[in-house]
Amino acid sequence: MLEIGRYISFIFISLILLVIPAVGQEVQVTNVLTGEPLLNATLYSEKPRSIATSNGNGIAYIGAMKGSERIEIRMMGYRTEYRSYAMIEADSFRVMLLPVSFNLDKIVVSASRWSQSSGDIPARVSTIGSDRVAMLNPQSAADLLAVSGKVFVQKSQQGGGSPMIRGFSSNRLLYTVDGVRMNTAIFRSGNLHNVISLDPFAIENTEVYFGPGSVIYGSDAIGGVMSFQTLTPTFSRDSTPVVSGRGVGRYASANNEITAHYDVNVGWKRFAMVTSITTSDFSDLRMGRHGPDEYLRTFFVQRIDSVDVMTENSDPLVQTPSGYSQMNIMQKLRFMPTNAWDIQYGFHFSETSHFSRYDRHLAVRDNQPRFAEWSYGPQKWLMHNLSVYHTSDGAAFDQMNIRLAWQEFEESRITRRFNDLNRTIRTENVTALSANMDFIRSVGSSGRIYYGVEAIHNDVSSMGIMQDIVTVENIPAAPRYPMASWSSAAIYVTGQWRFSDQLLVQGGIRQSHFSMDARFDTTFHPLPFTNASVQNGSLTGSAGLVYRPTHNWVISANLATGFRAPNVDDMGKLFDPVPGVVVVPNPNLLAEYVYSADLELARVFGQFLKLDLSIYYTLLDNVLVRRDYTFNGLDSMMYDGEMSRVQAIQNGAVARVGGVQAGMELKLPAGFRFIADINYQKGVEELDDGTTSPSRHAPPWFGNGRLMWSNSVLKLEFYSMFSGAKSFEQLPFEERDKTDLYAIDNNGNPWSPGWYTLNFNASQKITDHFTLSAGILNITDQRYRTYSSGITAPGRSFIISFTASM
């Protein structure tokens, strides 16, 4: 890996040495009524093709747009303006936008890896800007997604959060950071919590693309794509270097959160850099007072006088153990040698402390806890990312973007059964290398071609040790995974044609090839094989259209296919998903395929109401599911000291998910605004005997409603988040035995009750440099668990945040 790091550094330095001097230019975008700088305003030029986004000071770099005859300036809630570069220059590089009630379009990048209007995309894309993050104060990236009201999030512990989108979760969703794939070969089908590695303070914009995105992103993009764009370095407007930044301190009472954040941007005309550092400490999480008694934490385990003791919890509202801490560091460099080149390097690092898997601490057997210890070791993520953007008038492309990335992941699991003297520690490391080359080429005045190639390689290493907690002696133990590699190579092309101002048609295709090689250690379990290989290919495609009968009415439809290639977690894992069950390796796996249809409707009524509706249906074939299996002819085996039923991941089912997503924005008198989102999905999965079970990752209906008011210095927001119930009969069959996680109905069966929260946030701009934010979450102190979660959500929580900016 050191050799690769030197190679990437050499490329980056070489590109810098190719520079020739140029002068940058920035523009400030403000509110025409208040003069307030506007964050996340988007400026877009077709010729020369370039995109820029304003920062917290309303500043955006537009040097690459010099000479443009038409620059589109767009922002949600403001009227879209069009200017030539010369007009902006004549106005001293200031652009003022007029607030309006509604706008059907916004600029997004997740649909094609390139900036484009959402009105040109035949699929649903939602955005979450950094201004919403500042207002809502999410404690993690998982909470950021949850408060949007468009993504459901499951939690097994406080240090976690597994998004669910359109009935899919975990490795059937794709995560990207600055355009780089975050999914690795050990992303599992169970609940996945890697999203907490991202720092909400360092995220400039978040997009959620709903539905299959495999044509652009390849494997795993079945239910949707979550695209996170982190802070971008900004240049100086003149020859004087510019320094800007902010410091944030935050406290929340439900878990005694103490968070400190600092970011600073230093910009010259041609070179800029931004540094971001965040540290957070979370104590044990306190639940609400009003709700099911089954959620109360009545006991926890302590080791006293060399004996594990089941100790009564003096405060059953406190979920012990659930606390943890986290640190995030980001450093980005940006260099623009000419208007045609934009070179960026990004370094990301995240590390958590040990954190308990809280749901496993709830498990009991014979009135005794199953586990004395069950925790994840520090979750670590490191990424080096080099991107090179270039515009050209050549025959092959108008724009090119090359991304090279090197990522390192580390995660571990520490377990010890109640009054067992042996602690098991299993550690996994993944090195992930990726290279992407993406291009755009205009075809005439109404067509555009997006095309590119991708190469990915993952190396997986895994080790296990058994530790005597008395002597602290270690002996080797069975690892969770084999030593393995996973690779993928692909080529794609997408075309977009505008036949008129009303009709746009889009279609694309992708050919992917993937391979996997694994070497199994048979020291601990006599596997019937020592090596396994998988090689296969997948062809996916999509076709859609966007039709605008009038300027305030949009109808779009999309058909798409996608796939998920089996990874090392599917094929080679040896683990216990629940006590009494062990999953063994199975090398005979094929890819899953998804077929999806979407219909999108959006309409604005006058200047007071906007409605949008999405209807979708998805079929997943050849589903990789966990089913009963035999190991060396036996249906049970001894694993970690317990006789366990044998299962394996197998192709063997069909899953179907259908649903509706609806949204509303309503302008009210006196400057008030009401926004609401609701999501309903229903999924079924085929079982061994041909019957069906409700899908595990299709949550009950959920959504939120928000009443908002703001002026130039004060923002107020009162909102509710809510979710429906799942009765025992509606629970997936595999969830019905998890009595530790659910409430108990009148028949003694587990179920997931519906819930709601009422919340209030306020933000007061004290001076140009100081802002005070405060809020009360879960005002009525409800005790609830989001569906399928193992930890109870926070009770009433008082939040206060202070931001100093320069």
Side-chain angles (χ1 to χ4, degrees):
M1 289 303 99
L2 182 60
E3 302 295 328
I4 296 171
R6 289 174 176 170
Y7 178 66
I8 292 175
S9 300
F10 173 76
I11 293 175
F12 179 63
I13 293 170
S14 299
L15 289 169
I16 291 178
L17 295 176
L18 293 174
V19 306
I20 57 177
V23 174
Q25 183 58 59
E26 294 191 351
V27 63
Q28 185 176 41
V29 185
T30 60
N31 183 315
V32 69
L33 301 180
T34 66
E36 180 183 13
L38 297 181
L39 172 68
N40 289 330
T42 304
L43 296 89
Y44 178 72
S45 168
E46 181 72 23
K47 292 183 179 180
R49 194 182 302 277
S50 180
I51 183 77
T53 303
S54 63
N55 62 17
N57 296 317
I59 303 299
Y61 175 79
I62 60 168
M65 302 180 192
K66 190 170 185 177
S68 175
E69 293 297 323
R70 181 182 169 91
I71 298 174
E72 177 186 274
I73 306 103
R74 181 190 301 275
M75 183 172 175
M76 290 291 292
Y78 291 82
R79 187 174 68 190
T80 300
E81 297 287 344
Y82 299 91
R83 302 277 194 279
S84 68
Y85 186 91
M87 293 170 64
I88 295 175
E89 185 176 24
D91 289 335
S92 302
F93 292 98
R94 292 181 65 89
V95 173
M96 293 177 284
L97 299 184
L98 178 67
V100 295
S101 299
F102 306 107
N103 195 331
L104 284 173
D105 299 332
K106 53 186 176 290
I107 298 296
V108 296
V109 299
S110 57
S112 64
R113 291 184 181 272
W114 296 98
S115 297
Q116 60 183 138
S117 170
S118 60
D120 294 341
I121 300 168
R124 187 181 185 93
V125 181
S126 295
T127 62
I128 309 168
S130 55
D131 54 335
R132 299 297 299 149
V133 176
M135 184 66 184
L136 296 174
N137 279 304
Q139 294 186 336
S140 70
D143 294 338
L144 182 156
L145 293 168
V147 296
S148 72
K150 299 175 176 66
V151 178
F152 193 90
V153 175
Q154 180 274 352
K155 287 191 175 185
S156 298
Q157 64 276 333
Q158 185 176 190
S162 185
M164 298 181 184
I165 298 176
R166 290 192 170 184
F168 297 101
S169 183
S170 306
N171 58 14
R172 294 189 181 112
L173 303 176
L174 189 78
Y175 303 78
T176 71
V177 181
D178 292 339
V180 176
R181 175 191 182 94
M182 194 181 188
N183 294 43
T184 73
I186 64 170
F187 268 36
R188 55 191 179 272
S189 58
N191 296 313
L192 190 71
H193 306 283
N194 293 69
V195 72
I196 70 164
S197 293
L198 306 178
D199 178 10
F201 287 104
I203 296 174
E204 197 167 66
N205 193 51
T206 301
E207 295 179 16
V208 181
Y209 178 95
F210 293 91
S214 287
V215 169
I216 301 299
Y217 294 99
S219 180
D220 302 3
I222 285 180
V225 178
M226 289 162 284
S227 174
F228 301 91
Q229 176 64 47
T230 61
L231 298 174
T232 301
T234 57
F235 298 103
S236 171
R237 302 179 66 185
D238 50 40
S239 58
T240 304
V242 62
V243 179
S244 61
R246 60 176 172 160
V248 181
R250 186 174 66 204
Y251 171 80
S253 63
N255 52 7
N256 290 317
E257 175 207 13
I258 298 177
T259 288
H261 167 78
Y262 173 75
D263 65 69
V264 62
N265 182 97
V266 182
W268 293 265
K269 286 184 178 180
R270 296 182 286 116
F271 180 77
M273 60 184 179
V274 62
T275 303
S276 173
I277 301 173
T278 303
T279 62
S280 296
D281 185 79
F282 308 99
S283 298
D284 290 341
L285 182 63
R286 186 180 185 87
M287 67 181 79
R289 294 183 179 276
H290 310 295
D293 289 344
E294 292 85 5
Y295 296 165
L296 293 172
R297 180 60 162 154
T298 58
F299 72 91
F300 60 91
V301 175
Q302 287 183 303
R303 191 159 181 83
I304 302 174
D305 296 331
S306 300
V307 176
D308 292 331
V309 177
M310 187 176 179
T311 304
E312 182 180 355
N313 190 359
S314 59
D315 188 348
L317 299 179
V318 177
Q319 300 175 86
T320 303
S322 60
Y324 77 106
S325 60
Q326 181 167 338
M327 176 182 67
N328 286 80
I329 299 173
M330 184 192 77
Q331 178 67 59
K332 296 180 80 172
L333 309 176
R334 185 181 181 189
F335 187 55
M336 203 161 185
T338 73
N339 288 342
W341 291 91
D342 190 345
I343 304 164
Q344 295 190 45
Y345 163 77
F347 169 80
H348 301 261
F349 178 75
S350 173
E351 181 175 0
T352 69
S353 64
H354 287 71
F355 54 92
S356 295
R357 179 166 171 178
Y358 181 79
D359 61 342
R360 291 296 179 94
H361 287 269
L362 304 178
V364 295
R365 180 175 58 185
D366 300 330
N367 296 318
Q368 292 289 319
R370 281 182 175 266
F371 295 97
E373 301 177 34
W374 211 122
S375 65
Y376 291 104
Q379 179 174 292
K380 301 177 185 179
W381 171 61
L382 177 149
M383 180 171 77
H384 297 278
N385 175 25
L386 174 67
S387 68
V388 181
Y389 170 80
H390 178 53
T391 60
S392 170
D393 294 327
F397 60 88
D398 300 326
Q399 297 180 78
M400 172 194 74
N401 203 342
I402 299 174
R403 293 183 181 89
L404 304 175
W406 167 22
Q407 299 180 81
E408 297 283 349
F409 299 82
E410 180 179 311
E411 56 187 56
S412 55
R413 293 161 177 81
I414 301 110
T415 62
R416 185 173 64 83
R417 296 188 181 277
F418 191 69
N419 274 321
D420 192 333
L421 297 181
N422 291 316
R423 174 188 295 128
T424 303
I425 304 172
R426 292 185 172 92
T427 304
E428 290 76 52
N429 293 90
V430 179
T431 298
L433 306 177
S434 63
N436 292 82
M437 296 181 66
D438 301 293
F439 304 89
I440 296 180
R441 182 71 173 97
S442 296
V443 181
S445 60
S446 59
R448 186 178 297 171
I449 301 294
Y450 303 88
Y451 65 98
V453 295
E454 178 183 72
I456 300 167
H457 181 79
N458 285 192
D459 283 319
V460 178
S461 63
S462 182
M463 65 172 291
I465 63 172
M466 188 78 73
Q467 183 180 78
D468 187 308
I469 64 171
V470 177
T471 65
V472 199
E473 293 181 355
N474 296 333
I475 60 173
R480 180 179 173 90
Y481 297 114
M483 303 293 287
S485 64
W486 186 94
S487 300
S488 173
I491 183 170
Y492 76 90
V493 60
T494 294
Q496 191 177 80
W497 294 269
R498 186 177 295 279
F499 291 98
S500 68
D501 290 341
Q502 287 76 39
L503 181 63
L504 179 143
V505 175
Q506 177 175 302
I509 192 170
R510 178 188 182 105
Q511 176 63 51
S512 301
H513 177 82
F514 56 88
S515 62
M516 179 167 46
D517 294 289
R519 300 169 301 284
F520 293 88
D521 186 346
T522 59
T523 303
F524 305 96
H525 300 287
L527 298 173
F529 46 82
T530 57
N531 294 278
S533 296
V534 174
Q535 292 202 36
N536 214 324
S538 294
L539 181 67
T540 54
S542 66
L545 61 85
V546 179
Y547 177 59
R548 291 176 175 263
T550 66
H551 72 281
N552 58 1
W553 178 242
V554 179
I555 304 171
S556 62
N558 194 50
L559 299 174
T561 65
F563 77 100
R564 186 176 77 82
N567 63 19
V568 175
D569 185 87
D570 298 312
M571 182 188 74
K573 177 169 56 180
L574 184 68
F575 84 118
D576 55 336
V578 294
V581 173
V582 61
V583 173
V584 300
N586 177 14
N588 303 309
L589 298 178
L590 301 173
E592 301 176 319
Y593 283 90
V594 66
Y595 308 88
S596 180
D598 290 71
L599 177 65
E600 308 276 338
L601 308 170
R603 185 167 185 180
V604 171
F605 297 86
Q607 292 296 313
F608 67 94
L609 178 65
K610 175 186 173 183
L611 299 176
D612 64 80
L613 177 70
S614 301
I615 304 170
Y616 62 89
Y617 178 81
T618 304
L619 185 146
L620 185 64
D621 195 16
N622 224 20
V623 182
L624 291 166
V625 292
R626 195 174 72 230
R627 297 278 174 82
D628 288 342
Y629 197 63
T630 59
F631 182 77
N632 290 332
L634 301 175
D635 61 5
S636 299
M637 62 178 285
M638 189 66 67
Y639 182 78
D640 278 358
E642 181 175 0
M643 184 59 68
S644 302
R645 186 170 84 253
V646 172
Q647 294 186 335
I649 303 296
Q650 304 168 59
N651 293 103
V654 173
R656 297 175 176 85
V657 181
V660 176
Q661 295 173 280
M664 178 183 74
E665 293 185 40
L666 177 63
K667 183 180 179 181
L668 299 169
F672 285 92
R673 181 184 296 261
F674 180 73
I675 299 175
D677 288 282
I678 191 164
N679 307 264
Y680 172 81
Q681 50 280 309
K682 184 176 182 179
V684 294
E685 181 180 295
E686 185 181 38
L687 301 178
D688 280 339
D689 59 4
T691 61
T692 60
S693 165
S695 294
R696 179 185 176 190
H697 292 137
W701 59 269
F702 69 96
N704 66 16
R706 302 177 180 278
L707 181 64
M708 308 163 69
W709 182 89
S710 66
N711 61 21
S712 60
V713 296
L714 177 63
K715 297 179 181 179
L716 304 175
E717 184 168 331
F718 178 78
Y719 67 99
S720 175
M721 299 182 65
F722 48 81
S723 173
K726 270 189 180 285
S727 66
F728 175 74
E729 292 75 20
Q730 293 172 322
L731 286 179
F733 289 179
E734 62 183 301
E735 295 289 295
R736 296 181 183 181
D737 293 332
K738 300 178 181 178
T739 55
D740 301 321
L741 305 187
Y742 292 99
I744 303 300
D745 65 18
N746 293 331
N747 297 318
N749 295 318
W751 74 300
S752 180
W755 55 268
Y756 75 93
T757 63
L758 301 178
N759 316 274
F760 177 76
N761 285 97
S763 177
Q764 172 71 52
K765 188 175 182 180
I766 301 172
T767 71
D768 288 342
H769 301 289
F770 297 100
T771 300
L772 177 66
S773 299
I776 308 175
L777 306 186
N778 194 359
I779 295 172
T780 57
D781 210 18
Q782 298 297 300
R783 183 188 307 147
Y784 69 99
R785 282 184 187 167
T786 58
Y787 161 71
S788 190
S789 292
I791 192 166
T792 306
R796 184 186 298 120
S797 185
F798 296 90
I799 296 178
I800 187 166
S801 173
F802 187 73
T803 302
S805 59
M806 60 177 177

